[in-house]
Amino acid sequence: MAEVNMERIEKTAEEILKKLSLDDKAKFLSQIVWETTDIHQMHEKLDKFLLADGPAGIRRLKEYFDEDIYNTRPSTSYPSPSTYASSWNRELVYQLGEHMGKEARQEEVDAMLAPAVNIKRSPLGGRNFEYYSEDPYLTGELAGEFIKGIQKEGIGACLKHFAANNQETRRMNINAVIDEETLHETYLSAFEKPVKEGKPRMIMMAYNQINGEYCASNTKLLQLLREEWGYNGVVVTDCYAAHDLGQGISKGLTLQMPGEGGERITARIKGLIEKGMLTEEQLNQAVIKNIQFALEAHGSREQGYTYDRQEHHDFARKLAEESMVLLKNEGGILPLSKNERILVVGELAEKPRFQGGGSSHVNPWKLEIPLEEMKKLGSNIDFLKGYTLEGNTQENRRRLGEILAEAPKYDKIVVFAGIPDLIESEGYDRVSIELPREQNGLIERLAETGLPVIVVLSNGSVVEMPWREKVSGILECYLGGEAGASASARILFGEVNPSGRLAETFPVHLEDTPSYLYFPGSSETVVYAEGQFVGYKYYDAKKIPTAFPFGHGLSYTEFAYERPSSRAGENESSLVDERCGRVYVRIKNTGVRAGYETVQVYVQKQVQGKSLCPKKLVGFAKVYLQPGEQREVVISLSEKTFQQYTSREHCWKKTNGRYEFLVGSSVEDIRLRETVEIWDVPDVMTEDSNIGDMIRIPGMYEKLEKVFADHPVSLNFLTMTRDEDPLKAISMGSLMTLRTLKRTDVTLLDKDIEMIISEINKEMEGK
Ligand code: BGC
């Protein structure tokens, strides 16, 4: 792969731009279906650039003008994003990016329209299988790695859909009404890290409106991207989503996908310039970014590159193995052993569900079949269909009877259940989170026989499991891609120790979910009335029981959590070092098998002046330990851990308060906790600083006590602050400033005040 020299590219782009006529520049703003227009005719160093979808594998159409979006060249079908997000493994997701980047190289694609990082606001969201999580932190961490992996291969990543594209119902025009804090804390923060650290070459604006402005021309969104986050790449519309092109381009949009070609785009751009709705300088700003992209793409291309298909298939399996989530394993019913008599039930064991529908759909290179993979590992396996996905009631009833008669001959029953293909796709939302009725009925009846029943699920997003208390085991495979079948078989037979963790909550009922009353909104508007309480944040705050909580996932081994060994300068070991922004914890594998533990750090803030802050994931690490092995795990916290978005000042700010850190194995399985207090005091103290702020500096209370010893009134105010809960900070003592004290306490002189200020500031400098 050729090295790309950005400095040279920027220079060349400027030279090219200078030579382009207005007509040519206008042509640079549109794509025709998947390719840019004939820009190669404008300069010898320019080539058309080619885009392809990508969150679950590369979807390169055989013919670019084909109406059939499923007529694509075969490529590796990787686990869907909802699946691989459950790996909680940054390194593996980076490697996935590399693998997809290599496939793009072979297919001569210049940018992949992935990753998609919208938040799973409702379990009904039709594209939830394409998205990572209900949590912005986890989403951002993984998406950033995915982008870095793709771009390492010289292929552009396109982060999408910016922003709040959280439903399919009326996705092209719905107006998402979201309060500013929720928008930033939940929906935009999922994009921030991928933009700033992943530096994708492209960002796709969403179809919908946010607070009354279409995303593709939304002033606030584009300004955030360009001015605050310093994003410098191509900004493209989603398909046909350019609404106010003049406003969009003037604020930072650079490309419409697809767009008007030839005469139409030139006429439109000239019209906008004539009417003063766009300046040529703004047009240049957009065009130069597209030129740079074309040059970068041109520079990275190499003819004849091929990837190793088998290696990619094996990687898809590894990814699926690390992503599938063992939800339940009562009495250690799993793993299965080779010689047990096992009855496999369910049409999905023969016809796997391995991906979602719509623009992420790929044509798999080598699709595995679950039943065949089970038979490779077990020597006593029989199969009965039990149900068909089309759901012929009479036939299914007959099949159920047959299974009930046969079941007692077996040691264990493994039921493959899941959501049929047509229910989960881009373009529409789900209307329910129930499995098909015949599948639920079959599982219930089998569980009633008293035989051990293990349910193996294939679905892209959450389902209700009314039978979850009655069955012995549940393996959530999500949509495992082309090698998902061998991955699940290897987990079921214990060749792989499961390590996936839920990246979303499985509620007991749909009605329990936070956006239940508001999703998908009216004919024009959807109000995000649940605010920041999305997913686990809501269940946690309202103490609503869940079927399986966020972060949950079992292993065939067990782990103990302990406090770390004490560090230099500490008397006793603490979990949190808030100055360095780190959490330390000792993890020990107490079982007999090697395996992964995913250590999760949540924070529950009690912040001054705020009634309830949602509990938040702020860090995690996945560690592999041999039996008996222990390790001290260090988890870095981002500065956002101690910040909140304030709509008063329109920015993120460090917030004073008490922060309870919770370290555990899921949001509900907390093993260790520690509270730290953060008091962000002014950098320099003056006469106008609060006594309450001064005493936050360690040792300062005692110093002030000495200075005030001869000034009884001041001493009295100081003493009032001693036992005050800083979260409330209502006593006159902590609200007093030195200036107000001086007015109240006649014995306090200017020289005393000066001495105190200089003392405090000296102390603070030393910190
Ligand atoms: C989807 C995008 C996709 C594009 C091209 C749109 O309908 O929203 O995610 O990249 O089509 O297939």
Side-chain angles (χ1 to χ4, degrees):
M1 192 176 49
E3 274 287 306
V4 173
N5 179 332
M6 267 327 278
E7 234 173 81
R8 198 173 319 136
I9 284 183
E10 280 165 19
K11 225 168 131 229
T12 317
E14 269 171 35
E15 284 161 16
I16 294 177
L17 182 73
K18 277 191 208 136
K19 291 187 189 140
L20 294 184
S21 65
L22 189 59
D23 283 22
D24 283 347
K25 287 181 197 169
K27 283 185 196 144
F28 243 110
L29 302 172
S30 274
Q31 267 184 248
I32 305 295
V33 196
W34 296 96
E35 292 180 330
T36 38
T37 44
D38 297 334
I39 56 175
H40 58 293
Q41 290 165 3
M42 299 176 200
H43 196 279
E44 78 226 331
K45 285 194 180 138
L46 288 175
D47 250 341
K48 295 180 183 184
F49 53 77
L50 209 65
L51 311 180
D53 277 305
I58 185 150
R59 193 173 76 89
R60 163 73 144 106
L61 285 166
K62 282 191 184 145
E63 295 299 331
Y64 264 107
F65 289 91
D66 197 336
E67 294 279 296
D68 178 4
I69 64 157
Y70 289 164
N71 188 16
T72 54
R73 297 192 191 173
S75 64
T76 318
S77 158
Y78 292 100
S80 69
S82 62
T83 316
Y84 69 76
S86 316
S87 73
W88 292 59
N89 188 333
R90 297 177 178 91
E91 175 60 25
L92 207 56
V93 174
Y94 175 85
Q95 290 169 12
L96 171 66
E98 285 180 312
H99 279 81
M100 288 211 204
K102 290 196 165 87
E103 298 196 23
R105 281 168 72 184
Q106 173 173 313
E107 298 300 338
E108 295 176 343
V109 161
D110 300 306
M112 269 170 53
L113 305 179
V117 299
N118 298 97
I119 292 296
K120 300 184 194 189
R121 173 176 177 245
S122 162
L124 297 175
R127 290 181 90 170
N128 279 7
F129 65 88
E130 261 186 87
Y131 300 151
Y132 290 110
S133 174
E134 65 193 21
D135 181 77
Y137 175 79
L138 178 60
T139 300
E141 290 293 301
L142 298 180
E145 294 304 310
F146 182 78
I147 293 168
K148 287 185 217 159
I150 295 182
Q151 298 200 158
K152 184 208 144 224
E153 293 299 320
I155 305 299
C158 176
L159 180 68
K160 66 189 187 184
H161 313 86
F162 194 57
N165 186 170
N166 307 108
Q167 66 187 60
E168 293 302 281
T169 309
R170 301 195 174 85
R171 68 170 172 166
M172 290 191 161
N173 60 348
I174 194 85
N175 178 23
V177 176
I178 315 176
D179 71 82
E180 194 179 334
E181 286 176 5
T182 299
L183 183 63
H184 284 264
E185 290 261 357
T186 306
Y187 297 99
L188 299 179
S189 70
F191 286 86
E192 186 171 347
K193 186 155 186 187
V195 171
K196 286 185 174 165
E197 289 182 22
K199 299 190 175 36
R201 287 191 195 164
M202 241 184 215
I203 290 179
M204 185 190 290
M205 303 306 282
Y207 282 123
N208 49 286
Q209 308 176 49
I210 297 180
N211 298 331
E213 266 194 82
Y214 277 104
C215 289
S217 43
N218 189 305
T219 312
K220 285 188 182 154
L221 274 192
L222 289 163
Q223 273 172 351
L224 177 78
L225 204 55
R226 295 294 191 197
E227 290 163 27
E228 272 186 50
W229 293 354
Y231 179 67
N232 209 16
V234 172
V235 175
V236 63
T237 66
D238 201 338
C239 271
Y240 311 105
H243 290 275
D244 185 340
L245 199 57
Q247 168 153 319
I249 293 174
S250 68
K251 297 287 180 291
L253 183 78
T254 69
L255 187 64
Q256 33 172 0
M257 178 186 72
E260 314 112 305
E263 308 288 295
R264 285 179 61 176
I265 185 74
T266 47
R268 184 200 280 269
I269 294 299
K270 280 182 178 157
L272 287 169
I273 293 179
E274 271 160 28
K275 283 186 214 137
M277 294 164 83
L278 185 69
T279 64
E280 195 158 351
E281 180 45 34
Q282 288 167 334
L283 175 68
N284 288 347
Q285 284 298 320
V287 172
I288 198 155
K289 295 192 173 76
N290 297 347
I291 298 179
Q292 282 172 4
F293 182 92
L295 291 171
E296 252 184 288
H298 182 64
S300 317
R301 260 179 230 152
E302 68 196 302
Q303 284 195 332
Y305 175 82
T306 52
Y307 65 91
D308 176 347
R309 286 198 184 262
Q310 185 60 45
E311 195 275 325
H312 282 227
H313 179 81
D314 294 342
F315 177 77
R317 175 185 310 115
K318 181 173 160 50
L319 186 59
E321 284 171 355
E322 269 213 35
S323 305
M324 294 178 173
V325 188
L326 182 60
L327 294 176
K328 182 171 182 186
N329 192 17
E330 200 170 72
I333 190 79
L334 289 173
L336 306 171
S337 53
K338 190 173 173 55
N339 295 321
E340 278 173 322
R341 288 165 305 160
I342 292 162
L343 178 61
V344 172
V345 176
E347 196 180 27
L348 281 163
E350 280 186 313
K351 288 191 187 164
R353 174 84 208 293
F354 63 100
Q355 67 175 334
S359 62
S360 68
H361 189 281
V362 302
N363 212 346
W365 174 62
K366 189 159 77 175
L367 179 63
E368 296 174 351
I369 306 299
L371 184 59
E372 287 171 13
E373 299 303 319
M374 294 281 287
K375 285 187 172 166
K376 285 183 193 161
L377 299 180
S379 50
N380 261 319
I381 299 212
D382 288 329
F383 173 71
L384 285 172
K385 204 171 266 179
Y387 65 84
T388 53
L389 291 160
E390 293 85 54
N392 177 331
T393 321
Q394 233 175 354
E395 262 295 285
N396 285 337
R397 208 169 292 142
R398 185 192 60 71
R399 290 196 178 99
L400 176 62
E402 181 186 30
I403 291 182
L404 291 173
E406 291 294 308
K409 295 187 200 149
Y410 295 92
D411 298 318
K412 291 174 185 171
I413 302 173
V414 177
V415 185
F416 280 79
I419 303 180
D421 242 334
L422 270 180
I423 309 258
E424 278 181 311
S425 170
E426 175 181 340
Y428 44 88
D429 293 313
R430 289 195 290 165
V431 289
S432 139
I433 59 169
E434 286 172 23
L435 286 173
R437 201 171 334 130
E438 54 280 2
Q439 295 188 28
N440 274 339
L442 173 74
I443 298 170
E444 294 271 358
R445 293 294 302 275
L446 284 171
E448 280 163 16
T449 63
L451 288 162
V453 174
I454 296 140
V455 180
V456 179
L457 287 167
S458 305
N459 42 288
S461 40
V462 304
V463 289
E464 272 178 23
M465 292 177 231
W467 33 257
R468 67 189 183 286
E469 304 289 348
K470 301 178 195 157
V471 299
S472 307
I474 307 173
L475 178 65
E476 174 54 82
C477 297
Y478 277 104
L479 302 176
E482 64 178 44
S486 53
S488 58
R490 279 159 57 80
I491 291 174
L492 290 169
F493 279 95
E495 300 220 338
V496 167
N497 191 354
S499 64
R501 296 309 179 89
L502 293 181
E504 60 190 331
T505 311
F506 276 57
V508 176
H509 303 292
L510 175 64
E511 293 78 0
D512 297 339
T513 58
S515 60
Y516 179 68
L517 296 176
Y518 324 111
F519 183 94
S522 67
S523 58
E524 289 170 0
T525 302
V526 53
V527 181
Y528 284 36
E530 69 286 355
Q532 295 175 43
F533 291 89
V534 175
Y536 68 88
K537 294 170 182 162
Y538 175 80
Y539 305 104
D540 177 76
K542 300 266 289 182
K543 300 197 172 32
I544 294 175
T546 60
F548 297 102
F550 180 82
H552 169 75
L554 304 172
S555 160
Y556 294 147
T557 187
E558 281 179 6
F559 299 92
Y561 282 59
E562 284 166 19
R563 302 184 80 81
S565 26
S566 44
R567 296 179 293 283
E570 276 185 349
N571 295 332
E572 52 177 67
S573 62
S574 51
L575 286 177
V576 188
D577 181 341
E578 71 277 15
R579 283 169 194 239
C580 304
R582 291 201 193 115
V583 169
Y584 300 81
V585 57
R586 180 168 289 279
I587 306 293
K588 184 170 183 187
N589 182 346
T590 54
V592 291
R593 288 196 57 152
Y596 282 107
E597 173 65 340
T598 300
V599 185
Q600 300 157 43
V601 181
Y602 297 87
V603 76
Q604 174 81 70
K605 299 180 191 175
Q606 283 175 280
V607 164
Q608 256 177 334
K610 186 110 183 148
S611 42
L612 182 63
C613 296
K615 186 184 278 179
K616 278 190 197 174
L617 179 74
V618 290
F620 66 89
K622 189 163 183 173
V623 276
Y624 189 76
L625 295 173
Q626 295 296 333
E629 189 184 346
Q630 54 177 299
R631 195 176 310 155
E632 193 156 304
V633 180
V634 184
I635 296 173
S636 299
L637 303 168
S638 81
E639 57 178 11
K640 287 255 160 70
T641 307
F642 301 104
Q643 293 178 341
Q644 279 202 314
Y645 187 86
T646 121
S647 50
R648 194 158 37 90
E649 294 173 57
H650 311 291
C651 64
W652 286 84
K653 278 205 101 172
K654 194 165 177 188
T655 354
N656 285 346
R658 192 168 289 144
Y659 290 66
E660 186 177 25
F661 282 85
L662 308 141
V663 181
S665 193
S666 85
V667 70
E668 288 182 12
D669 182 6
I670 299 300
R671 312 283 183 91
L672 297 167
R673 47 183 84 215
E674 187 168 291
T675 301
V676 296
E677 294 197 351
I678 301 287
W679 302 104
D680 187 23
V681 293
D683 293 339
V684 178
M685 294 290 178
T686 65
E687 261 194 308
D688 294 313
S689 306
N690 287 106
I691 303 294
D693 280 338
M694 293 179 186
I695 63 161
R696 301 285 151 243
I697 303 160
M700 233 27 240
Y701 183 90
E702 292 70 19
K703 285 207 171 144
L704 287 176
E705 205 174 25
K706 274 195 203 136
V707 181
F708 290 156
D710 300 330
H711 309 290
V713 180
S714 300
L715 189 62
N716 186 30
F717 279 118
L718 180 69
T719 342
M720 280 185 204
T721 66
R722 184 203 292 273
D723 300 318
E724 155 125 305
D725 182 343
L727 275 176
K728 301 205 181 89
I730 45 161
S731 102
M732 278 297 276
S734 54
L735 298 178
M736 280 283 184
T737 65
L738 292 176
R739 196 193 291 275
T740 45
L741 269 187
K742 195 168 63 176
R743 289 194 194 118
T744 331
D745 186 344
V746 288
T747 69
L748 205 60
L749 304 175
D750 278 343
K751 70 172 179 30
D752 301 318
I753 304 277
E754 273 162 31
M755 195 264 288
I756 296 171
I757 293 175
S758 109
E759 215 19 47
I760 295 185
N761 286 328
K762 231 189 287 154
E763 192 71 27
M764 286 173 65
E765 263 171 38
K767 298 280 162 205

